[in-house]
Amino acid sequence: MLGDLLKKIVGSKNERELRRLQPLLLKVNSLEPSMEKLSDEEMRGKTAEYREKIEKGMALDEILPEAFALVREASKRTLRMRPFDVQIIGAIILHQGKIAEMKTGEGKTLVATMPLYLNALTGKGVHLVTVNDYLAKRDSEWMGAIYNFLGLSVGVIVHEKSDAERQEAYSADITYGTNNEFGFDYLRDNMKFELKDMVQRELNYAIVDEVDSILIDEARTPLIISGPAEESTETYYHVDRIIPRLKREKDYTVEEKTKTVALTEDGVRRAEELLSVENLYDPRQIELLHHVNQGLRAHVLFKRDVDYMVKDRQVIIVDEFTGRLMPGRRWSDGLHQAIEAKENVTIENENQTLATVTFQNYFRMYKKLAGMTGTADTEAAEFKKIYNLDVNVIPTNLPMIRTDHADMIYKTQKEKFNAVLNEILDLNSRGRPVLAGTISIEKSEILSRLLDKRGIPHNVLNAKHHEKEAMIIAQAGRKGAVTISTNMAGRGVDIILGGNPEYLFKEKVRADMFSDEREALRKEIWDRWEKEKKDVISLGGLQIIGTERHEARRIDNQLRGRSGRQGDPGSSRFYLSLEDDLLRIFGSDKLSKIMDRLGMEENVPIEHPWVTKAIENAQKRVEAHNFEIRKHLLEYDDVMNKQREVIYSQRKMVLKGDELRSIIQETFEELIDYIIGTYVNEDFRPDGWDWEGLEKACHKQFSLKFSVEPERRSALTKGDLKEMLTAEVQKIYTQKEIDLGEQLFRHLEKVILLQAIDTNWKDNLLSMDHLKEGIGLRGYGQRDPLIEYKKEAFDMFQEMVSRIKDEAIERLFRVEIPKPEDVSRLAPLRRQPVFMSRGEDMAQPQTVVRKNKKVGRNEPCPCGSGKKYKRCCGR
């Protein structure tokens, strides 16, 4: 109560922050008349002037008012758009490294131009990160007019670009691209063998568009680059044939909240019987058990046209947050292959992870990060805790007059869809535009079929029909338009009442038209649009119909936000049923009691604020649950991230090649210390030292036949021995350098070091996966699994670093090259095929039996060589 009173007196934190920015806004506005007087050439000259000031040490904050006023004037001259005051405030928030929440239609694309221009003046490069290639291309071309006018260069990163084109795009002052492309370029750069082949510069400043989608929704699915691992695919088909014969509850149980499935004891016995194996938990059957678990998940948890689609006999993942197809992306750990077997399409080989990073850790590498979206405030606590980003809600330019009606709740899905259909028919008969949102492709097609039966023309916007996405969503505000959309809902494209005249003009205009014909066509389309817009406004604007509530309130708010832009009228309503997943799985007993108290009859909905509040509480519980999972996963991923930073910085140092000689010399001196420490015990006389072990270790490590005559041994000290051994090793090293020439020898050192780092890092990634999956069991021993994970991960990392040094020096001293020209052949000219994928949504670390059995370093190598694993394939 006291808090509410204080808020009324001093305002909320957000209001106080907005008041604090008012003087800065007034300063920008006061410069507008002076900017209007500048010629185009004088405006371009300002960029060079600001850059010079920054080089001399002036802070960006001091230049901000002038720079923003300059961009506002450039926008007026190039795009005929003048940023509103609220857009200037949003731009200041973005420059300060915060999140600006701005409603749909408030012009976020234009807001970003001001902080991007200001931060690009440093010459370190800035990135605008968006959710798809279409928006990256569109915005770079559209807003590029402003940057080019002011003398800055613009690049765009999209899927089909070559490395040379990517380098050019990243070297531009401002680079637009998708979150996936930026992340994969970071991983690919850290697999390159030449510095000149790397495409990204240092990560300086980024603005993330639709920041909630990228940093919250997609935070649990890592980016993975993998290479093929040899694996028979027949087992997948074999296991797939038995899965349909297992019965739910009797043979396996499903936990829908956590999306897990597990065999019961009866199920294990039944699977053993069907697969003709004696014991599915026998170590020899580990791989088969893994296949059974993944086969169960494929059949029970993953649904066609919801989680994936089959197109051209390929299983293509559907992004659960945007509804878009993700061609080329694959689920990891054999799940994708299990789904391919289920759908009876060709099974692709399984892959082994070569590099991986989560968006959480990738975006935290930027020196300064900002974001914008229409819906971030509900996740403000998570943005602050994980990314240290504050959220500021920017007021709308014109008052929001959209009406958000209470939810209508029915008993069954059939009743709900009938009600939705009747509502659409009623609105359509009056000519009012409708946008119906669904949470899956499957539901969008059910609704589409129902509309077809009633003869209602409509557009469907889902992963199956995404090619004309921008055109469909841009015209969703036309009179009588009916549009069905999945969660993608054309994020980034405004729905203008009466339709988008610019899109209509582009569609109708022909290349052979004369300029006066073009102008006549433009006028005709604009006049028709203005009339149609007035008609649609008189009908009440765009009606949003939600056919189901999403787990996150933000996604519902995104759908609602398609209506009521820039002071337009509009309304929204959600239609739900007790059979919807959210209510069925997460709806509390309280919700059921409310329903019973209010009474539910067939085809009669319940509309009550209590029910809407209960549903919102269910969503809050799911959001809190998902936040805890993401936070927990990040604690584990931070361990991997620290290792990644060390390995990638080592790689970069090797690639630069400036200190290769000193790195190698320090390494072999360290190994000499280790060898002497292992075989020389100063508590014994020199005759009692392990001379045989010492000689073998020197031969193995340095290809050096080192021996000391027995009569000389007694007079030696440990220091003398180290000096002798170092001199011998240095002699071999120097001779190799002379034989090959310094330049070629440096190249040889670089290749050998990089190969040792890459091979061991790849193995470490696999070992870390094994460790994470089994670490949950430590909880049963009253030990914190996270602390145990950190300890063991550190030991594994230390061991890997030692292995890298050991192997690199051993190979360098052992290698014999007859001719200097042969050195160039050591470079990895044959590229290994790699696959970019979004990993499966990471579950919390739990105990799962993996198909790849980890072999102990001192156990016999499974390849049959007779050597210990650490000295054979374990390299």
Side-chain angles (χ1 to χ4, degrees):
M1 204 168 173
L2 182 63
D4 291 340
L5 183 64
L6 279 170
K7 200 177 276 187
K8 281 179 184 174
I9 298 167
V10 300
S12 66
K13 183 186 174 188
N14 191 68
E15 287 165 347
R16 294 196 302 275
E17 183 63 24
L18 294 178
R19 277 202 299 272
R20 193 179 63 78
L21 298 178
Q22 283 300 316
L24 208 46
L25 171 65
L26 293 172
K27 177 77 172 156
V28 174
N29 286 345
S30 71
L31 293 166
E32 191 167 11
S34 61
M35 289 296 171
E36 285 172 341
K37 291 173 186 171
L38 296 175
S39 68
D40 291 359
E41 202 54 49
E42 285 171 327
M43 286 184 73
R44 266 188 285 278
K46 286 283 181 186
T47 299
E49 182 189 317
Y50 298 152
R51 279 185 157 157
E52 199 177 317
K53 286 179 179 177
I54 290 164
E55 280 172 22
K56 288 178 180 173
M58 186 178 274
L60 290 180
D61 288 354
E62 293 179 60
I63 297 171
L64 185 148
E66 263 195 80
F68 280 20
L70 184 74
V71 175
R72 175 187 259 178
E73 183 58 30
S75 174
K76 282 156 62 178
R77 296 189 192 187
T78 55
L79 304 178
R80 294 185 175 83
M81 294 165 75
R82 180 189 178 276
F84 307 123
D85 285 1
V86 289
Q87 288 175 300
I88 300 287
I89 288 173
I92 297 168
I93 296 287
L94 292 178
H95 166 69
Q96 292 175 343
K98 298 177 183 177
I99 291 171
E101 179 180 302
M102 301 181 75
K103 299 294 179 204
T104 304
E106 290 296 302
K108 293 189 284 291
T109 310
L110 188 59
V111 169
T113 58
M114 290 170 268
L116 285 175
Y117 171 79
L118 177 60
N119 286 271
L121 294 172
T122 61
K124 294 175 183 174
V126 297
H127 297 164
L128 190 288
V129 186
T130 189
V131 289
N132 62 52
D133 283 352
Y134 164 75
L135 289 176
K137 279 181 190 168
R138 185 203 72 175
D139 294 352
S140 65
E141 290 166 9
W142 187 17
M143 298 297 127
I146 296 174
Y147 308 128
N148 293 332
F149 179 80
L150 294 172
L152 294 186
S153 54
V154 186
V156 61
I157 302 290
V158 287
H159 186 61
E160 63 273 8
K161 294 254 181 184
S162 66
D163 273 7
E165 290 170 318
R166 285 170 190 271
Q167 277 180 334
E168 189 182 342
Y170 279 116
S171 63
D173 295 308
I174 296 162
T175 308
Y176 282 76
T178 65
N179 49 331
N180 287 338
E181 292 305 318
F182 283 121
F184 281 130
D185 281 339
Y186 165 74
L187 291 177
R188 280 190 293 251
D189 272 358
N190 286 290
M191 295 171 69
K192 298 278 173 68
F193 271 70
E194 294 289 345
L195 262 183
K196 62 182 175 59
D197 293 335
M198 295 176 79
V199 298
Q200 278 189 350
R201 294 195 271 173
E202 266 194 82
L203 302 177
N204 175 41
Y205 172 62
I207 296 176
V208 183
D209 194 8
E210 307 298 359
V211 68
D212 56 322
S213 174
I214 292 170
L215 297 190
I216 302 285
D217 295 336
E218 302 193 36
R220 280 164 57 182
T221 47
L223 296 175
I224 296 171
I225 292 184
S226 52
E230 293 304 315
E231 175 101 17
S232 167
T233 57
E234 187 50 45
T235 314
Y236 290 105
Y237 290 122
H238 181 47
V239 168
D240 184 72
R241 285 191 284 270
I242 71 122
I243 298 294
R245 297 165 72 178
L246 300 177
K247 292 175 184 171
R248 187 166 177 156
E249 299 308 329
K250 183 178 184 296
D251 296 323
Y252 62 86
T253 55
V254 181
E255 183 55 67
E256 289 187 277
K257 281 188 183 182
T258 55
K259 293 185 179 175
T260 53
V261 59
L263 285 170
T264 61
E265 285 188 31
D266 286 345
V268 171
R269 281 195 292 273
R270 180 69 174 143
E272 286 168 349
E273 181 189 315
L274 292 168
L275 292 167
S276 305
V277 294
E278 197 172 312
N279 179 4
L280 204 49
Y281 284 88
D282 186 304
R284 289 169 298 179
Q285 304 299 344
I286 282 174
E287 187 174 332
L288 191 58
L289 177 63
H290 176 74
H291 280 296
V292 171
N293 285 331
Q294 293 297 55
L296 261 178
R297 296 183 69 211
H299 277 265
V300 178
L301 299 176
F302 288 79
K303 297 173 186 171
R304 185 169 176 162
D305 285 346
V306 176
D307 302 294
Y308 65 90
M309 277 177 54
V310 178
K311 194 174 182 182
D312 301 328
R313 291 195 57 74
Q314 284 187 314
V315 171
I316 303 174
I317 297 173
V318 174
D319 188 321
E320 68 167 305
F321 304 110
T322 65
R324 288 187 173 83
L325 288 182
M326 301 170 75
R329 309 286 152 83
R330 294 176 66 79
W331 283 299
S332 57
D333 210 20
L335 176 62
H336 208 98
Q337 286 82 352
I339 293 172
E340 285 169 331
K342 168 189 167 185
E343 296 296 343
N344 198 27
V345 299
T346 306
I347 295 177
E348 304 289 336
N349 279 338
E350 194 155 347
N351 301 318
Q352 182 177 354
T353 301
L354 304 175
T356 178
V357 70
T358 59
F359 284 130
Q360 286 169 319
N361 276 316
Y362 173 71
F363 283 107
R364 291 195 305 175
M365 285 188 264
Y366 279 89
K367 287 177 188 166
K368 184 163 74 170
L369 185 65
M372 52 190 189
T373 180
T375 46
D377 202 35
T378 56
E379 311 291 350
E382 182 165 354
F383 280 121
K384 184 66 181 171
K385 176 125 184 127
I386 290 179
Y387 303 100
N388 196 27
L389 288 170
D390 288 313
V391 176
N392 284 113
V393 181
I394 312 298
T396 54
N397 182 47
L398 295 169
M400 170 70 75
I401 58 171
R402 185 186 69 235
T403 307
D404 296 326
H405 297 291
D407 299 347
M408 302 279 273
I409 303 177
Y410 292 82
K411 257 189 175 177
T412 65
Q413 286 212 22
K414 187 181 175 186
E415 292 170 47
K416 175 184 77 174
F417 274 111
N418 282 335
V420 168
L421 193 60
N422 291 333
E423 176 76 354
I424 292 172
L425 289 169
D426 177 51
L427 293 164
N428 185 251
S429 66
R430 289 185 270 137
R432 189 173 173 192
V434 180
L435 175 66
T438 65
I439 67 165
S440 70
I441 299 169
E442 182 185 35
K443 299 283 170 65
S444 70
E445 296 199 329
I446 289 171
L447 188 53
S448 177
R449 284 195 295 273
L450 291 170
L451 286 172
D452 280 336
K453 282 180 186 174
R454 298 290 186 97
I456 300 292
H458 61 280
N459 285 310
V460 180
L461 182 61
N462 63 27
K464 287 187 175 178
H465 310 94
H466 68 285
E467 292 82 0
K468 295 186 176 177
E469 176 184 328
M471 181 62 79
I472 291 171
I473 207 73
Q475 304 309 338
R478 294 202 70 177
K479 190 174 179 180
V482 177
T483 310
I484 301 170
S485 171
T486 49
N487 286 343
M488 61 170 75
R491 284 184 89 151
V493 182
D494 271 350
I495 299 177
I496 299 171
L497 298 186
N500 188 318
E502 193 61 48
Y503 276 83
L504 279 174
F505 176 71
K506 284 179 185 172
E507 198 179 347
K508 302 264 186 181
V509 74
R510 297 192 315 275
D512 60 351
M513 278 184 167
F514 294 113
S515 58
D516 54 342
E517 286 180 293
R518 284 170 179 256
E519 284 309 309
L521 177 65
R522 184 185 288 276
K523 186 177 184 309
E524 181 195 331
I525 287 172
W526 252 256
D527 289 347
R528 197 191 314 148
W529 166 69
E530 282 180 2
K531 182 182 179 304
E532 193 170 327
K533 183 180 180 183
K534 284 175 186 171
D535 291 345
V536 173
I537 287 173
S538 68
L539 290 165
L542 178 68
Q543 165 77 25
I544 299 293
I545 294 177
T547 60
E548 202 164 330
R549 285 277 199 165
H550 195 274
E551 285 182 3
R553 288 169 293 165
R554 286 176 299 102
I555 308 294
D556 294 340
N557 292 339
Q558 277 284 350
L559 180 61
R560 277 202 169 111
R562 311 312 306 175
S563 176
R565 62 178 291 284
Q566 285 293 331
D568 286 340
S571 57
S572 70
R573 189 190 292 277
F574 279 82
Y575 288 79
L576 315 177
S577 84
L578 295 181
E579 293 177 350
D580 292 349
D581 288 346
L582 180 76
L583 303 192
R584 187 171 53 81
I585 301 169
F586 297 100
S588 63
D589 295 336
K590 188 179 175 185
L591 184 58
S592 302
K593 284 172 188 171
I594 292 170
M595 296 296 193
D596 292 339
R597 198 176 301 161
L598 296 171
M600 287 204 77
E601 295 175 31
E602 198 172 329
N603 288 318
V604 177
I606 284 180
E607 180 187 359
H608 200 284
W610 288 358
V611 179
T612 302
K613 188 74 179 166
I615 291 164
E616 225 170 81
N617 288 337
Q619 288 177 306
K620 282 179 185 174
R621 280 199 301 278
V622 181
E623 285 167 8
H625 173 67
N626 288 339
F627 173 39
E628 282 306 311
I629 291 173
R630 285 191 290 266
K631 193 173 73 172
H632 187 61
L633 286 168
L634 187 62
E635 289 170 340
Y636 280 83
D637 195 53
D638 279 344
V639 179
M640 171 71 80
N641 196 50
K642 286 185 175 69
Q643 294 187 4
R644 187 190 298 111
E645 284 171 4
V646 172
I647 287 295
Y648 285 177
S649 64
Q650 273 189 357
R651 258 190 129 265
K652 203 161 272 185
M653 196 190 301
V654 172
L655 282 171
K656 285 178 182 170
D658 302 336
E659 302 168 24
L660 268 182
R661 198 174 200 280
S662 59
I663 290 171
I664 295 291
Q665 288 195 309
E666 279 174 27
T667 305
F668 73 60
E669 283 170 14
E670 196 179 307
L671 288 169
I672 287 168
D673 282 340
Y674 174 74
I675 289 170
I676 289 176
T678 304
Y679 297 101
V680 172
N681 187 341
E682 285 188 296
D683 293 340
F684 294 106
R685 289 168 53 82
D687 291 340
W689 294 347
D690 185 357
W691 289 96
E692 187 183 347
L694 178 74
E695 287 165 12
K696 281 181 181 175
C698 290
H699 186 262
K700 182 205 156 294
Q701 190 66 68
F702 302 110
S703 292
L704 168 66
K705 291 180 179 175
F706 179 76
S707 63
V708 180
E709 294 81 3
E711 58 272 16
R712 289 181 57 201
R713 290 176 185 174
S714 57
L716 288 176
T717 64
K718 190 176 181 180
D720 295 335
L721 185 62
K722 181 184 173 183
E723 211 172 291
M724 284 172 64
L725 187 51
T726 304
E728 290 289 327
V729 172
Q730 184 68 54
K731 187 176 163 186
I732 296 174
Y733 179 72
T734 308
Q735 191 58 50
K736 278 184 180 287
E737 191 174 25
I738 293 166
D739 291 346
L740 286 171
E742 189 178 356
Q743 192 177 349
L744 285 174
F745 193 59
R746 292 289 90 80
H747 176 71
L748 175 65
E749 286 175 330
K750 182 172 81 170
V751 170
I752 286 174
L753 269 170
L754 289 176
Q755 285 177 340
I757 289 169
D758 289 351
T759 305
N760 284 285
W761 175 241
K762 178 186 72 175
D763 291 344
N764 187 64
L765 288 174
L766 186 62
S767 300
M768 291 284 281
D769 276 350
H770 283 294
L771 177 63
K772 190 190 289 184
E773 289 183 347
I775 206 74
L777 283 174
R778 307 297 169 87
Y780 291 113
Q782 304 301 308
R783 287 182 289 173
D784 185 336
L786 180 60
I787 291 170
E788 294 294 308
Y789 178 75
K790 286 179 177 177
K791 282 181 189 170
E792 293 205 23
F794 178 75
D795 291 343
M796 282 164 56
F797 186 72
Q798 292 293 92
E799 192 178 328
M800 179 192 67
V801 171
S802 300
R803 226 165 37 238
I804 289 170
K805 292 174 181 176
D806 185 11
E807 289 174 17
I809 295 298
E810 186 181 328
R811 288 177 194 173
L812 183 66
F813 277 79
R814 185 168 291 180
V815 73
E816 292 292 339
I817 300 172
K819 299 175 202 162
E821 56 266 28
D822 288 344
V823 179
S824 60
R825 293 179 198 161
L826 285 168
L829 299 175
R830 185 176 65 82
R831 290 194 175 211
Q832 180 184 7
V834 294
F835 308 96
M836 270 67 71
S837 64
R838 289 291 304 283
E840 179 193 341
D841 188 2
M842 295 189 295
Q844 292 194 57
Q846 56 185 313
T847 310
V848 178
V849 183
R850 285 289 294 259
K851 60 183 185 320
N852 296 332
K853 181 178 180 291
K854 187 177 179 185
V855 181
R857 294 194 71 220
N858 293 308
E859 290 178 30
C861 188
C863 75
S865 64
K867 298 179 185 175
K868 287 182 179 178
Y869 178 68
K870 67 178 178 181
R871 296 298 178 212
C872 188
C873 300
R875 297 180 175 199

